[in-house]
Amino acid sequence: MAARKAITPTVRPVRTSKRADKSSPAFMERMPSEILIKILSYLDASALFSISHINKLFYQLANDNSLWKKIHIAEFKKKKKSKHECMDKVLPKMATVEVRDQAVGYWKWLHFKTVAAYDMNKWKRHLGLISRHTGLPSQTERVLRNLHVTWELTVSDKSGHEATFELRRSQFFETSVTLCWSGGCLPDYQQISTLQLHGVRRIALNCPGLKKPGWRSLMARLDMETLTKNAQGFGQDRLVELKLLQPGIIVGVWKDQRCIAFLMFTLHFHRLVEKSIQGSSDRPYVESMVNPPFDDIDPEYGLHGYQLHIVLHDTAFEIMSESFSQLFCRRTQICDGLIQLTAISRTSLSQHIPLSGSIILPWKCEALQGAVENCCIMSLTLLDESKKPFWCVSSPVSMKPVKMPTSYDYDGEHFLIHYQDSDGQVKMNLVWMKEQMQFLLISLVVYVTTCKVNKHFSRDY
């Protein structure tokens, strides 16, 4: 039998029309805008926002007011059916607005702003759920996450160059959140002129890889020249040196260099949602002051009924969380303009509290990580007699060894954590229990300035 001859298929190159390739972009441009608008009218908000990033033509088409008005009314008619009364006030006004009378993109941003306001009203009631231990909204983290809130850091150098950095890492705790920025793009420590922290509210769109639309709320604007002069050496390990720029802000600088390894902010939960979204890009949120009623009958008004909640943690884990009620100060204890509130007495052994972890502050950036010993983060919430936040602090603190008189109760090494700002001080004494391999908190005293107490309670101590 004769062997069959193998057949090798012939592959013919596909000819492409250069004329067609060159005319493809022009083909889209030659199409009537009415047809393109009709095609785009079948897209939802996420797809329409995404397609606006293709080129200038689609940017203009995807901002067409008629498209966004249709999306806007359809979206909020659904929400109206969900029995949200606020929609009854919004929709009639929307129907009377003529599309042609508005600038291009007007309805897109009206839609985004209305979505943001609707979501804020939806989650606002969760901020009314107050924890009896902290006196703060117990759903702060949940609200921030559901409102798609993040934070950005804007760095200006001395040459006038400005760059904005998105948040690298965040970690929520019971009464605070820790934010961290790191990376080789951060300028030299000595070259920074200003730092600006903004809260950013993003609209929830399904746009992978694109920066979603949103609004910025200024939370802090810091002059680095002033901060650098007053910066305190905070701690170090073999790679970085920590500097405390001001309460709540530390910078990690590579040893023997001027380069920044990371910047860390710690934010207390008190009014954090409002501060993060209710300011403007150049003005922070201003909290309305509501003073407690003046009490003429109680001569010690403002000196008793305090409640303290304090949390110690590192960048990942909680070390301690305790509450103390019915704190007071007698008039005779007011000294040097400070009102003393003792939560843990050194002489009362039953009050002493063991800590669940080491006093250490882990850090990490893109390629390296480490840990600075004898440092942690303190989050303090002091409530007044009416259980309202009176003094709130969230800041890194350092622990230093101290010499103590001979103690028959504890023979371990003693340490002091001392925090101080314009409103008061916190002093914590700890002892290292060698056999148990843990720290014991044996004294905790909070000092509040009489100036703050007098202003809050309308007194004259």
Side-chain angles (χ1 to χ4, degrees):
M1 181 182 291
R4 292 184 180 179
K5 187 176 180 179
I7 299 175
T8 303
T10 302
V11 179
R12 296 182 180 179
V14 178
R15 295 184 179 180
T16 58
S17 171
K18 294 183 179 180
R19 182 179 178 183
D21 290 343
K22 291 181 179 179
S23 63
S24 294
F27 173 74
M28 298 297 296
E29 293 177 2
R30 288 202 307 268
M31 287 184 66
S33 60
E34 293 81 3
I35 296 178
L36 291 173
I37 292 293
K38 181 63 176 178
I39 295 171
L40 297 182
S41 68
Y42 293 98
L43 302 180
D44 61 12
S46 296
L48 199 57
F49 178 77
S50 298
I51 209 170
S52 69
H53 291 74
I54 293 177
N55 56 29
K56 185 181 291 186
L57 171 63
F58 277 102
Y59 176 80
Q60 294 173 345
L61 293 172
N63 278 277
D64 184 83
N65 279 326
S66 63
L67 295 175
W68 284 101
K69 182 177 181 181
K70 178 183 175 183
I71 291 174
H72 190 62
I73 293 178
E75 175 73 18
F76 286 97
K77 277 186 177 178
K78 292 179 184 177
K79 297 188 185 323
K80 183 182 178 182
K81 291 178 181 179
S82 301
K83 299 181 181 180
H84 291 282
E85 297 178 0
C86 60
M87 293 300 102
D88 292 330
K89 301 177 181 179
V90 175
L91 285 170
K93 294 180 181 179
M94 295 190 306
T96 60
V97 178
E98 291 291 337
V99 173
R100 62 177 179 269
D101 295 337
Q102 303 301 332
V104 175
Y106 167 82
W107 277 94
K108 179 177 77 172
W109 287 105
L110 175 64
H111 176 69
F112 290 154
K113 288 180 180 178
T114 311
V115 168
Y118 170 79
D119 288 342
M120 185 63 206
N121 289 332
K122 176 182 175 182
W123 287 100
K124 203 169 185 179
R125 66 179 183 272
H126 291 275
L127 294 178
L129 303 174
I130 305 300
S131 167
R132 63 186 181 90
H133 298 293
T134 67
L136 303 170
S138 58
Q139 302 291 316
T140 297
E141 178 184 354
R142 184 184 178 193
V143 171
L144 288 168
R145 291 189 183 278
N146 281 280
L147 292 178
H148 306 280
V149 175
T150 184
W151 295 269
E152 290 181 347
L153 186 66
T154 301
V155 181
S156 303
D157 61 25
K158 294 180 180 178
S159 65
H161 180 262
E162 185 177 281
T164 298
F165 300 90
E166 293 190 9
L167 182 65
R168 183 71 65 177
R169 285 178 300 279
S170 65
Q171 182 68 45
F172 283 88
F173 295 92
E174 187 180 5
T175 58
S176 65
V177 60
T178 299
L179 314 175
C180 189
W181 287 265
S182 61
C185 295
L186 292 170
D188 288 350
Y189 173 62
Q190 299 292 343
Q191 293 301 313
I192 299 177
S193 61
T194 59
L195 291 175
Q196 294 183 75
L197 177 68
H198 285 90
V200 183
R201 170 90 185 276
R202 297 285 183 203
I203 299 297
L205 294 177
N206 184 20
C207 306
L210 292 179
K211 195 171 185 178
K212 298 175 179 61
W215 295 269
R216 307 172 84 204
S217 173
L218 180 65
M219 300 179 70
R221 182 185 285 116
L222 309 170
D223 179 14
M224 280 295 289
E225 184 176 355
T226 302
L227 294 179
T228 302
K229 290 179 181 178
N230 300 323
Q232 305 172 20
F234 192 68
Q236 61 182 344
D237 61 9
R238 62 186 183 87
L239 294 175
V240 301
E241 179 183 359
L242 302 186
K243 296 180 182 293
L244 183 67
L245 299 181
Q246 71 173 34
I249 307 172
I250 58 174
V251 57
V253 182
W254 296 114
K255 278 191 171 181
D256 302 323
Q257 299 182 39
R258 294 181 300 174
C259 299
I260 294 177
F262 59 87
L263 276 159
M264 185 185 298
F265 285 67
T266 58
L267 306 179
H268 195 278
F269 276 178
H270 179 55
R271 300 291 184 191
L272 182 58
V273 174
E274 293 85 348
K275 293 175 184 177
S276 298
I277 65 177
Q278 292 189 6
S280 65
S281 60
D282 57 355
R283 291 185 179 181
Y285 164 80
V286 178
E287 181 180 353
S288 57
M289 299 298 295
V290 180
N291 290 334
F294 183 75
D295 192 335
D296 287 326
I297 300 175
D298 184 0
E300 302 294 310
Y301 187 58
L303 296 180
H304 59 78
Y306 290 95
Q307 180 176 323
L308 172 67
H309 186 80
I310 188 165
V311 181
L312 294 179
H313 61 86
D314 56 27
T315 52
F317 301 104
E318 186 178 282
I319 301 171
M320 183 196 81
S321 175
E322 295 290 338
S323 293
F324 306 90
S325 60
Q326 298 303 319
L327 303 183
F328 65 93
C329 175
R330 298 183 176 88
R331 284 178 178 267
T332 55
Q333 293 177 309
I334 300 176
C335 181
D336 298 327
L338 296 172
I339 292 173
Q340 177 180 323
L341 303 172
T342 301
I344 298 177
S345 172
R346 186 192 304 272
T347 58
S348 180
L349 301 183
S350 62
Q351 295 180 347
H352 298 174
I353 300 172
L355 306 189
S356 60
S358 301
I359 306 297
I360 193 170
L361 196 65
W363 61 269
K364 64 179 178 179
C365 55
E366 280 62 28
L368 298 171
Q369 60 184 1
V372 179
E373 294 183 349
N374 297 333
C375 299
C376 66
I377 298 171
M378 177 191 74
S379 184
L380 174 146
T381 311
L382 185 65
L383 308 179
D384 63 17
E385 189 176 4
S386 58
K387 308 304 179 189
K388 302 294 184 182
F390 172 65
W391 184 33
C392 299
V393 173
S394 185
S395 177
V397 291
S398 62
M399 180 178 70
K400 297 181 180 180
V402 291
K403 291 184 178 180
M404 299 296 294
T406 303
S407 173
Y408 296 102
D409 300 312
Y410 307 111
D411 58 358
E413 188 176 5
H414 288 253
F415 297 87
L416 173 67
I417 294 176
H418 184 199
Y419 171 85
Q420 182 174 2
D421 64 22
S422 60
D423 289 329
Q425 302 180 35
V426 181
K427 289 184 178 180
M428 289 181 276
N429 286 100
L430 302 98
V431 61
W432 173 248
M433 309 294 289
K434 191 173 182 179
E435 292 184 2
Q436 290 82 4
M437 295 294 291
Q438 67 178 166
F439 284 100
L440 191 68
L441 181 60
I442 62 173
S443 175
L444 171 57
V445 183
V446 175
Y447 301 87
V448 187
T449 62
T450 53
C451 179
K452 183 173 180 65
V453 173
N454 290 338
K455 182 179 180 180
H456 186 76
F457 293 100
S458 301
R459 308 299 284 186
D460 188 24
Y461 292 118

